[in-house]
């Protein structure tokens, strides 16, 4: 029996394009629930990302430096397969509002049907971040708005630079 089997391991999947203060809040709280939390950055999103998967992984690593039991990796394919490969028994999702619920319920039920050994738990998002999403952050940045309340401090200049580099908000062509 591997020692991993005795650990409480969770995965927190998402696009994180870019990571917001809302995501970080979920990561910090989840890191207290699990022995090991693996943040999974989805590569093959239907969305065309602003940041490459490598960039998104590095950004999350830099803002979770203070959390020793948090690891960050990108993944492709199904979240349940990623969870299985990480020996995780739990998928963590954040619920911002009731509008998230229907989609999240469907995804959790589908995931449970595919892998009954892996449960989904939901953390309610901190009210301060209930309205946040990565695309809203990208949009505000694109029009020169202040995003410092929405993303961790060190992410602010990276988003601004990326928007400048991509000539007003174009998308990266990289997949990772
Ligand atoms: N704080 C701030 N923003 C949040 C948030 C929080 N706590 N939780 C979610 N969001 C934002 C996200 O940034 C995202 O914003 P965007 O649409 O502007 O990019 C939006 O809410 C939607 O988030 P989410 O539903 O988590 O989408 P996602 O793309 O980040 O992640 C996956 C979705 C990766 C979990 C899902 O697509 C997946 O599992 N894909 C793999 C394939 C698979 O297994 N599919 C399921 C089969 S049923």
């Amino acid at each position: 029996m591997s020692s991993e089997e005795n650990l409480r391991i969770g995965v927190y999947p998402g696009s994180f394009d870019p990571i917001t203060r809302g995501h970080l809040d979920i990561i910090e709280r989840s890191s207290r629930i699990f022995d090991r939390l693996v943040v999974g950055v989805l590569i093959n999103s239907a969305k065309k990302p602003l940041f490459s998967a490598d960039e998104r992984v590095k950004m999350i690593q830099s803002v979770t430096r203070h959390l020793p039991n948090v690891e960050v990796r990108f993944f492709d394919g199904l979240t349940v397969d990623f969870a299985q490969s990480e020996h995780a028994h739990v998928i963590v999702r954040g619920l911002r509002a009731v509008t998230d619920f229907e989609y999240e319920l469907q995804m959790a039920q589908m995931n449970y049907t595919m892998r009954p050994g892996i449960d989904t738990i939901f953390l309610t998002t901190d009210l301060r971040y209930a309205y946040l999403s990565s695309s809203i952050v990208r949009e505000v940045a694109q029009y020169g708005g202040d995003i410092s309340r929405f993303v961790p401090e060190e992410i602010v200049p990276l988003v601004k630079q990326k928007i400048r580099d991509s000539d007003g908000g174009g998308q990266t062509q990289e997949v990772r």
Side-chain angles (χ1 to χ4, degrees):
M1 181 188 283
S2 104
S3 58
E4 293 267 287
E5 285 176 36
N6 300 319
L7 295 178
R8 283 169 304 169
I9 303 172
V11 297
Y12 178 41
S15 304
F16 307 107
D17 187 36
I19 182 166
T20 67
R21 288 181 186 264
H23 294 131
L24 186 55
D25 170 62
I26 299 284
I27 294 171
E28 284 171 341
R29 287 157 57 202
S30 306
S31 74
R32 297 196 286 270
I33 298 173
F34 299 102
D35 297 309
R36 185 158 81 89
L37 178 73
V38 186
V39 180
V41 175
L42 181 69
I43 297 179
N44 252 355
S45 172
K47 312 166 185 177
K48 271 197 154 188
L50 179 64
F51 289 95
S52 70
D54 270 338
E55 289 169 330
R56 286 176 276 151
V57 166
K58 288 199 176 90
M59 286 192 287
I60 302 170
Q61 281 170 335
S62 84
V63 299
T64 56
R65 276 189 309 258
H66 60 298
L67 303 169
N69 62 336
V70 171
E71 293 161 33
V72 192
R73 299 193 215 303
F74 51 73
F75 75 101
D76 204 356
L78 292 174
T79 291
V80 283
D81 291 340
F82 174 64
Q84 172 106 337
S85 71
E86 294 294 334
H87 308 286
H89 295 289
V90 178
I91 296 168
V92 178
R93 298 288 292 159
L95 280 182
R96 290 167 300 173
V98 74
T99 44
D100 282 344
F101 183 73
E102 208 171 322
Y103 168 65
E104 291 297 337
L105 180 68
Q106 184 187 26
M107 202 157 62
Q109 288 171 336
M110 177 61 93
N111 284 336
Y112 190 78
T113 303
M114 289 190 287
R115 293 249 193 230
I118 300 177
D119 273 300
T120 300
I121 66 163
F122 297 103
L123 297 189
T124 52
T125 301
D126 187 313
L127 275 180
R128 285 174 299 169
Y129 310 125
Y131 56 88
L132 260 187
S133 74
S134 299
S135 49
I136 279 188
V137 167
R138 292 196 302 272
E139 188 168 334
V140 170
Q142 204 168 319
Y143 292 108
D146 178 12
I147 56 167
S148 57
R149 276 185 298 153
F150 312 137
V151 298
E153 206 179 321
E154 56 204 282
I155 303 302
V156 176
L158 302 178
V159 176
K160 287 184 178 167
Q161 185 63 49
K162 191 65 158 180
I163 299 261
R164 273 198 298 272
D165 290 351
S166 55
D167 195 25
Q171 316 280 285
T172 183
Q173 293 306 309
E174 292 174 286
V175 288
R176 52 166 287 190

